[in-house]
Amino acid sequence: MRIKRSLQAAALVAAAVLLGLLTVQGSYALWNATTSAAPGTVSAASFDMAMTTVNTGQTTNMTLANGTAATLTLSPAGTLGPGTPVYGGVQVTNNTNAGGQFNTVITAGQPTIANVRGGTLASYISVTAKLATSTAECSNGTGFTAIGAGGLASPTVAKNGFTIFCFQASLSSAAPASVKGQAVNITLPLTARQCGVSGGC
């Protein structure tokens, strides 16, 4: 008997910056796996992708049990200012218990920066990203680049493996004093795709 399992959702990382405050929100991605099973031995698999904040270690599945997106707060050290960026990051772990090979690739999309309560801060904020192999790399200011139209894709992540996305929020030196204390919402889409499904990997 052939058993086909399919689960759909979208992963989203939302980072809210209030002079140095970041939050992360996420949910599952696209899954589609086919396997053979002997009669009477069919069992379900869990396709869990976990997010862990780099700075605090807080962990959650991308999607909560009720199907809503989870939210984490990235707590960067320091205060955002001209010439003083702040850093945050998220480790995404492939926690699936599906049998056989189940590799994934996670992609961070381009950020959207929106003013909060009619402010003007958004035009002075830029967000860059990089991939890392350790959480310590997120506080190192080198290697950050703008996220292109195709997004920033991780290497292949095997079961029980992980990848780390580091984000840097910077304030332009041209920002006027009037933006002090204002807030912006920064949204970064994060998607995870199983290798071999819809062109993944």
Side-chain angles (χ1 to χ4, degrees):
M1 171 168 56
R2 303 282 294 175
I3 305 298
K4 185 173 182 179
R5 303 182 187 99
S6 181
L7 175 65
Q8 285 188 40
L12 182 70
V13 173
V17 177
L18 174 55
L19 296 182
L21 177 64
L22 301 165
T23 62
V24 176
Q25 184 179 39
S27 63
Y28 289 133
L30 171 66
W31 306 111
N32 187 356
T34 302
T35 188
S36 297
T41 62
V42 176
S43 61
S46 174
F47 303 120
D48 292 339
M49 298 296 289
M51 297 189 306
T52 303
T53 61
V54 166
N55 296 331
T56 65
Q58 184 182 3
T59 299
T60 183
N61 282 341
M62 285 183 165
T63 300
L64 302 177
N66 64 4
T68 61
T71 300
L72 294 174
T73 299
L74 309 181
S75 302
T79 302
L80 181 65
T84 309
V86 293
Y87 304 95
V90 60
Q91 176 176 304
V92 183
T93 305
N94 182 351
N95 282 340
T96 183
N97 63 5
Q101 189 177 32
F102 199 93
N103 296 335
T104 59
V105 167
I106 297 88
T107 303
Q110 292 181 304
T112 301
I113 306 171
N115 288 307
V116 174
R117 294 183 299 276
T120 59
L121 179 61
S123 60
Y124 300 102
I125 297 287
S126 62
V127 176
T128 53
K130 69 178 178 181
L131 292 165
T133 56
S134 73
T135 57
E137 294 177 53
C138 287
S139 58
N140 180 332
T142 62
F144 286 90
T145 60
I147 300 173
L152 177 63
S154 74
T156 301
V157 181
K159 287 192 295 186
N160 301 313
F162 65 88
T163 192
I164 298 171
F165 287 91
C166 301
F167 301 105
Q168 174 182 263
S170 302
L171 179 64
S172 169
S173 59
S178 60
V179 301
K180 184 177 181 181
Q182 292 184 12
V184 297
N185 286 329
I186 301 171
T187 303
L188 291 141
L190 247 192
T191 57
R193 184 176 299 278
Q194 178 190 355
C195 294
V197 177
S198 301
C201 306

